[in-house]
Amino acid sequence: MNDTAQHGAMTVVEDREHSDGAPTIEGTGIRVADVASAYEHSGYEPDEITQLYPDLTLADVHRALAYYYDHIDEFRTPESASA
């Protein structure tokens, strides 16, 4: 995974000093995995996720989910499950 992936207005970053290097939405501290978990496991719709994370726009949520699904194997490895 690249250290930084540009997706339109939002940037997903991996900073080893924050969130143990987990991909986060730059400037928010919100982990991509948290957005994906709200969608996949908690059953929130993308517009409801913007209410959970008011710093995110609906487009940001969709971009975070796209990043998650583009890197699904990296998120679902045993190593990432322990983080």
Side-chain angles (χ1 to χ4, degrees):
M1 201 178 316
N2 293 340
D3 285 341
T4 303
Q6 199 87 24
H7 290 265
M10 180 189 74
T11 302
V12 174
V13 297
E14 294 178 28
D15 183 347
R16 298 283 177 222
E17 295 181 21
H18 302 288
S19 300
D20 294 323
T24 59
I25 300 162
E26 185 176 40
T28 67
I30 300 168
R31 296 184 316 164
V32 169
D34 294 335
V35 172
S37 179
Y39 180 74
E40 278 195 336
H41 303 293
S42 298
Y44 287 102
E45 294 295 322
D47 61 324
E48 295 172 315
I49 295 171
T50 63
Q51 295 171 10
L52 292 173
Y53 301 106
D55 290 338
L56 300 181
T57 66
L58 184 57
D60 292 336
V61 171
H62 283 286
R63 289 182 190 113
L65 291 172
Y67 183 93
Y68 172 76
Y69 288 114
D70 283 346
H71 299 89
I72 193 77
D73 292 337
E74 296 167 29
F75 281 96
R76 292 189 174 170
T77 63
E79 180 180 294
S80 66
S82 65

XYZ file of all heavy atoms in Angstrom:
644
model
N 0.852 -1.170 0.000
C 0.000 0.000 0.000
C 0.896 1.231 0.000
O 1.863 1.285 0.725
C -0.883 -0.026 1.253
C -2.106 0.819 1.145
S -3.227 0.809 2.572
C -3.372 -0.878 3.049
N 0.531 2.211 -0.805
C 1.295 3.450 -0.823
C 1.105 4.203 0.483
O 0.103 4.051 1.157
C 0.818 4.348 -1.966
C 1.125 3.756 -3.314
O 1.979 2.898 -3.441
N 0.405 4.201 -4.322
N 2.082 5.055 0.826
C 1.948 5.859 2.031
C 0.833 6.886 1.900
O 0.205 7.261 2.864
C 3.263 6.567 2.372
C 4.277 5.609 2.952
O 3.862 4.535 3.419
O 5.468 5.929 2.935
N 0.568 7.352 0.687
C -0.477 8.342 0.462
C -1.206 7.986 -0.823
O -0.589 7.660 -1.812
C 0.119 9.758 0.321
O 0.869 10.045 1.499
C -0.968 10.810 0.153
N -2.524 8.054 -0.787
C -3.325 7.821 -1.986
C -4.278 8.996 -2.147
O -5.050 9.290 -1.249
C -4.109 6.522 -1.856
N -4.197 9.664 -3.282
C -5.017 10.838 -3.538
C -6.339 10.397 -4.148
O -6.362 9.659 -5.108
C -4.287 11.767 -4.512
C -4.799 13.169 -4.513
C -4.136 14.016 -3.449
O -3.048 13.727 -3.018
N -4.797 15.051 -3.047
N -7.442 10.830 -3.598
C -8.776 10.517 -4.107
C -9.588 11.802 -4.127
O -10.318 12.102 -3.190
C -9.480 9.486 -3.206
C -8.886 8.128 -3.291
N -9.378 7.170 -4.131
C -7.850 7.558 -2.656
C -8.671 6.062 -4.006
N -7.741 6.280 -3.112
N -9.496 12.574 -5.197
C -10.264 13.804 -5.294
C -9.911 14.782 -4.180
O -8.768 15.086 -3.942
N -10.938 15.242 -3.472
C -10.753 16.248 -2.435
C -10.222 15.658 -1.139
O -9.778 16.372 -0.269
C -12.073 16.962 -2.169
N -10.286 14.354 -1.003
C -9.880 13.702 0.241
C -8.578 12.943 0.010
O -8.370 12.393 -1.057
C -10.961 12.712 0.667
C -10.624 11.992 1.952
S -11.775 10.667 2.309
C -11.256 9.444 1.121
N -7.743 12.910 1.018
C -6.510 12.150 0.942
C -6.513 11.114 2.051
O -6.804 11.420 3.201
C -5.285 13.071 1.115
O -5.326 14.076 0.120
C -3.995 12.306 0.977
N -6.200 9.882 1.691
C -6.030 8.819 2.675
C -4.538 8.693 2.920
O -3.756 8.610 1.973
C -6.621 7.483 2.169
C -6.309 6.356 3.130
C -8.125 7.617 1.962
N -4.148 8.744 4.188
C -2.736 8.696 4.532
C -2.470 7.585 5.533
O -3.363 7.159 6.267
C -2.242 10.039 5.124
C -2.365 11.150 4.102
C -2.994 10.397 6.384
N -1.233 7.131 5.540
C -0.750 6.181 6.544
C 0.420 6.836 7.250
O 1.453 7.059 6.648
C -0.296 4.878 5.890
C -1.414 4.106 5.252
C -0.921 2.853 4.574
O 0.110 2.297 4.988
O -1.572 2.442 3.606
N 0.234 7.160 8.504
C 1.255 7.829 9.293
C 1.598 6.918 10.465
O 0.754 6.683 11.330
C 0.735 9.181 9.774
C 1.762 9.990 10.543
O 2.804 9.423 10.936
O 1.515 11.183 10.759
N 2.804 6.417 10.494
C 3.222 5.476 11.546
C 3.138 6.091 12.947
O 3.066 5.379 13.928
C 4.644 4.978 11.288
C 4.778 4.220 9.988
C 4.221 2.826 10.102
N 4.298 2.155 8.810
C 3.332 1.409 8.318
N 2.243 1.202 8.984
N 3.468 0.847 7.142
N 3.110 7.420 13.034
C 3.037 8.087 14.338
C 1.601 8.230 14.839
O 1.379 8.571 15.991
C 3.704 9.459 14.255
C 5.198 9.365 13.989
C 5.858 10.720 13.920
O 5.294 11.689 14.449
O 6.946 10.806 13.320
N 0.626 7.988 13.976
C -0.782 8.120 14.343
C -1.536 6.878 13.898
O -1.293 6.341 12.820
C -1.409 9.353 13.697
C -0.714 10.625 14.051
N -0.800 11.198 15.297
C 0.102 11.426 13.338
C -0.074 12.286 15.327
N 0.491 12.453 14.152
N -2.420 6.400 14.720
C -3.274 5.248 14.390
C -2.462 4.021 14.005
O -2.909 3.208 13.211
C -4.254 5.605 13.275
O -5.086 6.658 13.671
N -1.261 3.897 14.533
C -0.389 2.761 14.239
C -0.201 2.533 12.744
O -0.060 1.405 12.291
C -0.928 1.487 14.892
C -0.893 1.564 16.401
O 0.070 2.144 16.943
O -1.831 1.057 17.048
N -0.248 3.598 11.982
C -0.039 3.493 10.543
C -1.260 3.066 9.767
O -1.185 2.871 8.563
N -2.399 2.912 10.435
C -3.628 2.545 9.734
C -4.044 3.675 8.798
O -3.866 4.847 9.137
C -4.745 2.262 10.737
N -4.582 3.349 7.635
C -5.038 4.404 6.728
C -6.113 5.266 7.389
O -7.091 4.750 7.937
C -5.616 3.631 5.547
C -4.956 2.296 5.603
C -4.755 2.020 7.064
N -5.883 6.562 7.363
C -6.838 7.521 7.928
C -7.143 8.599 6.902
O -6.399 8.790 5.945
C -6.290 8.200 9.203
O -5.073 8.879 8.880
C -6.033 7.199 10.312
N -8.218 9.294 7.141
C -8.597 10.396 6.280
C -7.854 11.624 6.800
O -8.071 12.043 7.935
C -10.112 10.577 6.282
C -10.761 9.286 5.775
C -10.510 11.772 5.431
C -12.211 9.141 6.103
N -6.957 12.127 5.978
C -6.059 13.206 6.389
C -6.811 14.369 7.007
O -7.853 14.797 6.508
C -5.263 13.700 5.175
C -4.225 14.739 5.526
C -3.397 15.133 4.333
O -3.948 15.271 3.232
O -2.184 15.306 4.514
N -6.288 14.829 8.135
C -6.854 15.982 8.797
C -8.023 15.678 9.718
O -8.524 16.566 10.388
N -8.475 14.412 9.741
C -9.616 14.073 10.583
C -9.264 13.064 11.669
O -9.940 13.011 12.683
C -10.763 13.466 9.755
O -10.357 12.189 9.243
C -11.188 14.383 8.625
N -8.265 12.231 11.427
C -7.938 11.157 12.356
C -8.906 9.992 12.271
O -8.808 9.034 13.035
N -9.840 10.043 11.336
C -10.826 8.976 11.175
C -10.220 7.874 10.321
O -9.762 8.117 9.206
C -12.119 9.512 10.528
C -12.729 10.598 11.412
C -13.118 8.373 10.284
C -13.838 11.397 10.747
N -10.213 6.664 10.886
C -9.628 5.535 10.162
C -10.595 5.025 9.091
O -11.809 4.938 9.313
C -9.289 4.404 11.125
C -8.227 4.794 12.138
C -7.802 3.675 13.039
N -8.941 2.906 13.531
C -8.853 1.712 14.089
N -7.671 1.150 14.244
N -9.926 1.093 14.517
N -10.042 4.676 7.946
C -10.829 4.095 6.862
C -11.546 2.839 7.368
O -12.720 2.619 7.061
C -9.933 3.777 5.643
C -10.676 2.942 4.613
C -9.398 5.066 5.026
N -10.873 2.040 8.176
C -11.473 0.815 8.702
C -12.701 1.114 9.558
O -13.650 0.321 9.585
C -10.451 0.024 9.504
N -12.712 2.248 10.262
C -13.871 2.606 11.083
C -15.071 2.959 10.214
O -16.209 2.601 10.538
C -13.533 3.756 12.023
C -12.508 3.363 13.076
O -12.403 2.164 13.411
O -11.803 4.265 13.563
N -14.824 3.658 9.122
C -15.900 3.989 8.187
C -16.440 2.690 7.570
O -17.657 2.479 7.517
C -15.405 4.953 7.086
C -16.463 5.155 6.008
C -14.994 6.291 7.695
N -15.539 1.809 7.155
C -15.953 0.541 6.552
C -16.713 -0.328 7.548
O -17.698 -0.978 7.189
C -14.735 -0.203 6.007
N -16.279 -0.340 8.802
C -16.958 -1.131 9.824
C -18.369 -0.608 10.077
O -19.317 -1.397 10.241
C -16.146 -1.114 11.115
O -16.803 -1.860 12.116
N -18.518 0.696 10.106
C -19.850 1.278 10.294
C -20.775 0.851 9.164
O -21.960 0.555 9.388
C -19.751 2.804 10.361
N -20.236 0.763 7.962
C -21.022 0.379 6.795
C -21.280 -1.126 6.753
O -22.428 -1.563 6.658
C -20.297 0.838 5.529
C -21.015 0.493 4.255
C -22.147 1.186 3.874
C -20.542 -0.522 3.432
C -22.815 0.872 2.699
C -21.201 -0.841 2.256
C -22.335 -0.145 1.893
O -22.993 -0.456 0.727
N -20.210 -1.915 6.850
C -20.320 -3.366 6.688
C -20.918 -4.073 7.894
O -21.725 -4.974 7.746
C -18.947 -3.983 6.415
C -18.499 -3.912 5.002
C -17.318 -4.841 4.732
O -16.565 -5.185 5.667
O -17.149 -5.220 3.565
N -20.471 -3.726 9.075
C -20.823 -4.500 10.265
C -21.963 -3.888 11.074
O -22.734 -4.613 11.699
C -19.599 -4.704 11.151
C -18.480 -5.373 10.429
N -18.533 -6.676 9.987
C -17.273 -4.903 10.025
C -17.420 -6.986 9.356
N -16.624 -5.926 9.364
N -22.063 -2.559 11.065
C -23.110 -1.904 11.857
C -24.341 -1.565 11.027
O -25.365 -1.186 11.575
C -22.565 -0.643 12.530
O -21.526 -0.988 13.424
N -24.212 -1.679 9.712
C -25.357 -1.473 8.838
C -25.738 -0.034 8.557
O -26.825 0.239 8.061
N -24.832 0.903 8.853
C -25.115 2.310 8.555
C -25.016 2.557 7.057
O -24.149 2.018 6.383
C -24.133 3.234 9.272
C -24.361 3.335 10.758
C -23.554 2.626 11.639
C -25.374 4.142 11.270
C -23.758 2.706 13.011
C -25.579 4.236 12.638
C -24.771 3.513 13.499
O -24.966 3.603 14.846
N -25.911 3.392 6.558
C -25.840 3.847 5.176
C -24.812 4.976 5.105
O -24.548 5.642 6.122
C -27.211 4.355 4.710
C -28.260 3.264 4.636
C -27.949 2.208 3.588
O -27.439 2.566 2.505
O -28.204 1.020 3.852
N -24.233 5.224 3.919
C -23.230 6.295 3.819
C -23.689 7.644 4.362
O -22.929 8.329 5.045
C -22.925 6.349 2.322
C -23.112 4.925 1.892
C -24.318 4.462 2.675
N -24.941 8.033 4.120
C -25.396 9.325 4.632
C -25.502 9.308 6.153
O -25.310 10.344 6.807
C -26.714 9.759 3.992
C -27.859 8.794 4.253
O -27.627 7.571 4.298
O -28.999 9.279 4.390
N -25.757 8.145 6.746
C -25.781 8.044 8.205
C -24.370 8.124 8.787
O -24.181 8.635 9.897
C -26.445 6.737 8.638
C -27.913 6.650 8.272
C -28.517 5.289 8.524
O -27.890 4.272 8.163
O -29.619 5.244 9.088
N -23.390 7.644 8.034
C -21.998 7.708 8.485
C -21.542 9.159 8.589
O -20.768 9.509 9.478
C -21.080 6.864 7.571
C -21.465 5.383 7.702
C -19.609 7.076 7.921
C -20.794 4.462 6.708
N -22.068 10.033 7.725
C -21.715 11.457 7.836
C -22.249 12.061 9.129
O -21.703 13.048 9.619
C -22.230 12.285 6.640
O -23.657 12.261 6.608
C -21.664 11.788 5.325
N -23.283 11.477 9.688
C -23.793 11.937 10.980
C -22.912 11.423 12.113
O -22.729 12.101 13.126
C -25.240 11.495 11.177
C -26.175 12.148 10.177
C -27.579 11.563 10.207
O -27.926 10.796 11.098
N -28.382 11.931 9.224
N -22.365 10.214 11.945
C -21.429 9.674 12.937
C -20.112 10.441 12.928
O -19.482 10.624 13.972
C -21.119 8.197 12.649
C -22.231 7.187 12.833
C -21.769 5.821 12.330
C -22.639 7.109 14.289
N -19.685 10.838 11.729
C -18.418 11.543 11.529
C -18.701 12.853 10.790
O -18.551 12.933 9.571
C -17.444 10.672 10.729
C -17.122 9.358 11.376
C -17.648 8.158 10.891
C -16.283 9.304 12.489
C -17.342 6.948 11.501
C -15.981 8.097 13.102
C -16.518 6.928 12.600
O -16.217 5.729 13.211
N -19.138 13.885 11.501
C -19.534 15.144 10.850
C -18.429 15.830 10.039
O -18.729 16.667 9.193
C -19.965 16.042 12.016
C -20.172 15.147 13.177
C -19.342 13.921 12.940
N -17.170 15.462 10.271
C -16.076 16.049 9.484
C -16.038 15.511 8.059
O -15.315 16.044 7.222
C -14.730 15.789 10.151
C -14.554 16.576 11.433
O -15.231 17.603 11.607
O -13.737 16.158 12.270
N -16.796 14.445 7.792
C -16.785 13.829 6.471
C -18.004 14.236 5.669
O -19.114 14.315 6.190
C -16.782 12.298 6.592
C -15.615 11.666 7.335
C -15.763 10.146 7.329
C -14.291 12.075 6.742
N -17.788 14.475 4.386
C -18.899 14.674 3.463
C -19.352 13.310 2.963
O -18.662 12.296 3.152
C -18.477 15.535 2.265
O -17.510 14.802 1.498
C -17.904 16.880 2.705
N -20.478 13.278 2.296
C -20.957 12.031 1.713
C -19.940 11.504 0.692
O -19.662 10.309 0.637
C -22.325 12.242 1.065
C -23.003 11.009 0.494
C -23.186 9.918 1.551
C -24.349 11.391 -0.117
N -19.350 12.407 -0.077
C -18.325 12.009 -1.050
C -17.114 11.415 -0.338
O -16.537 10.428 -0.807
C -17.913 13.200 -1.904
N -16.725 11.979 0.814
C -15.600 11.437 1.581
C -15.882 10.013 2.028
O -15.008 9.149 1.979
C -15.319 12.282 2.829
C -14.782 13.674 2.517
O -14.203 13.875 1.429
O -14.953 14.549 3.387
N -17.110 9.764 2.489
C -17.479 8.411 2.934
C -17.367 7.437 1.767
O -16.787 6.355 1.908
C -18.896 8.397 3.539
C -19.361 6.968 3.800
C -18.933 9.214 4.818
N -17.889 7.815 0.626
C -17.815 6.934 -0.545
C -16.364 6.697 -0.970
O -16.002 5.583 -1.340
C -18.645 7.488 -1.698
C -20.109 7.263 -1.517
N -20.703 6.038 -1.686
C -21.100 8.121 -1.153
C -22.004 6.129 -1.454
N -22.267 7.388 -1.121
N -15.547 7.733 -0.895
C -14.135 7.568 -1.250
C -13.415 6.662 -0.247
O -12.571 5.856 -0.621
C -13.447 8.924 -1.352
C -13.884 9.699 -2.567
C -13.147 11.027 -2.673
N -13.755 11.829 -3.709
C -14.415 12.964 -3.500
N -14.511 13.458 -2.284
N -14.961 13.619 -4.495
N -13.741 6.808 1.037
C -13.138 5.937 2.056
C -13.549 4.490 1.817
O -12.721 3.577 1.921
C -13.545 6.392 3.455
N -14.810 4.276 1.483
C -15.269 2.911 1.189
C -14.603 2.371 -0.070
O -14.216 1.196 -0.115
C -16.794 2.881 1.059
C -17.567 3.125 2.350
C -19.059 3.271 2.060
C -17.309 2.023 3.369
N -14.433 3.218 -1.070
C -13.742 2.790 -2.286
C -12.301 2.400 -1.970
O -11.800 1.381 -2.456
C -13.784 3.892 -3.345
N -11.626 3.199 -1.141
C -10.251 2.880 -0.732
C -10.235 1.536 -0.005
O -9.386 0.683 -0.270
C -9.704 3.987 0.170
C -8.270 3.759 0.581
C -7.222 4.296 -0.155
C -7.946 2.995 1.704
C -5.899 4.083 0.211
C -6.638 2.776 2.074
C -5.621 3.321 1.323
O -4.310 3.091 1.691
N -11.178 1.347 0.903
C -11.273 0.095 1.654
C -11.421 -1.095 0.711
O -10.688 -2.077 0.808
C -12.458 0.173 2.623
C -12.772 -1.117 3.319
C -11.983 -1.569 4.371
C -13.863 -1.883 2.944
C -12.267 -2.762 5.031
C -14.164 -3.058 3.590
C -13.366 -3.499 4.629
O -13.655 -4.684 5.266
N -12.362 -1.012 -0.220
C -12.589 -2.138 -1.126
C -11.447 -2.315 -2.123
O -11.155 -3.438 -2.528
C -13.937 -1.999 -1.831
C -15.084 -2.264 -0.880
C -15.966 -1.256 -0.517
C -15.254 -3.520 -0.298
C -16.999 -1.494 0.378
C -16.286 -3.764 0.594
C -17.150 -2.752 0.925
O -18.165 -2.987 1.816
N -10.772 -1.235 -2.483
C -9.590 -1.354 -3.353
C -8.445 -2.074 -2.652
O -7.566 -2.639 -3.303
C -9.097 0.023 -3.798
C -9.931 0.636 -4.905
O -10.741 -0.085 -5.530
O -9.778 1.857 -5.142
N -8.423 -2.032 -1.306
C -7.345 -2.623 -0.519
C -7.868 -3.690 0.449
O -7.277 -3.928 1.493
C -6.614 -1.525 0.271
C -5.989 -0.487 -0.602
N -6.671 0.636 -1.008
C -4.768 -0.416 -1.160
C -5.883 1.359 -1.790
N -4.725 0.751 -1.893
N -8.967 -4.327 0.090
C -9.670 -5.235 0.999
C -8.768 -6.328 1.564
O -8.861 -6.651 2.750
C -10.922 -5.837 0.312
C -11.820 -6.526 1.328
C -10.544 -6.794 -0.809
C -12.634 -5.596 2.139
N -7.898 -6.878 0.754
C -7.023 -7.957 1.242
C -6.096 -7.468 2.341
O -5.804 -8.199 3.283
C -6.210 -8.567 0.102
C -7.085 -9.336 -0.879
O -8.193 -9.768 -0.486
O -6.671 -9.486 -2.042
N -5.642 -6.232 2.243
C -4.750 -5.680 3.267
C -5.508 -5.403 4.570
O -4.942 -5.543 5.655
C -4.094 -4.408 2.747
C -3.193 -4.690 1.555
C -2.774 -3.442 0.824
O -2.677 -2.376 1.461
O -2.561 -3.528 -0.398
N -6.766 -5.039 4.465
C -7.565 -4.792 5.665
C -7.967 -6.084 6.359
O -8.174 -6.103 7.563
C -8.835 -3.991 5.321
C -8.575 -2.522 5.155
C -8.367 -1.990 3.890
C -8.541 -1.669 6.232
C -8.148 -0.637 3.710
C -8.317 -0.312 6.077
C -8.120 0.202 4.817
N -8.073 -7.157 5.611
C -8.569 -8.421 6.167
C -7.493 -9.437 6.461
O -7.784 -10.595 6.692
C -9.608 -9.008 5.221
C -10.866 -8.171 5.190
C -11.947 -8.833 4.455
N -13.179 -8.051 4.588
C -14.265 -8.297 3.881
N -14.284 -9.290 3.020
N -15.335 -7.549 4.056
N -6.245 -9.021 6.496
C -5.167 -9.948 6.856
C -5.163 -10.155 8.353
O -5.601 -9.289 9.108
C -3.791 -9.408 6.415
O -3.548 -8.192 7.114
C -3.701 -9.215 4.920
N -4.659 -11.298 8.845
C -4.584 -11.509 10.294
C -3.803 -10.417 11.010
O -4.145 -10.030 12.119
C -3.867 -12.863 10.417
C -4.138 -13.550 9.134
C -4.216 -12.444 8.096
N -2.774 -9.882 10.368
C -1.964 -8.822 10.966
C -2.817 -7.577 11.216
O -2.743 -6.964 12.275
C -0.789 -8.462 10.054
C 0.087 -7.372 10.613
C 1.231 -7.053 9.670
O 2.094 -7.930 9.482
O 1.238 -5.934 9.138
N -3.666 -7.202 10.255
C -4.474 -6.006 10.431
C -5.599 -6.235 11.434
O -6.044 -5.300 12.081
C -5.062 -5.537 9.086
O -5.973 -6.490 8.593
N -6.041 -7.455 11.601
C -7.104 -7.750 12.551
C -6.635 -7.562 13.992
O -7.422 -7.231 14.866
C -7.602 -9.191 12.357
N -5.347 -7.708 14.237
C -4.831 -7.558 15.595
C -4.547 -6.105 15.944
O -4.298 -5.781 17.093
C -3.554 -8.385 15.785
O -2.527 -7.888 14.960
N -4.569 -5.196 14.967
C -4.266 -3.778 15.207
C -5.440 -3.044 15.789
O -6.536 -3.396 15.771
C -3.833 -3.109 13.895
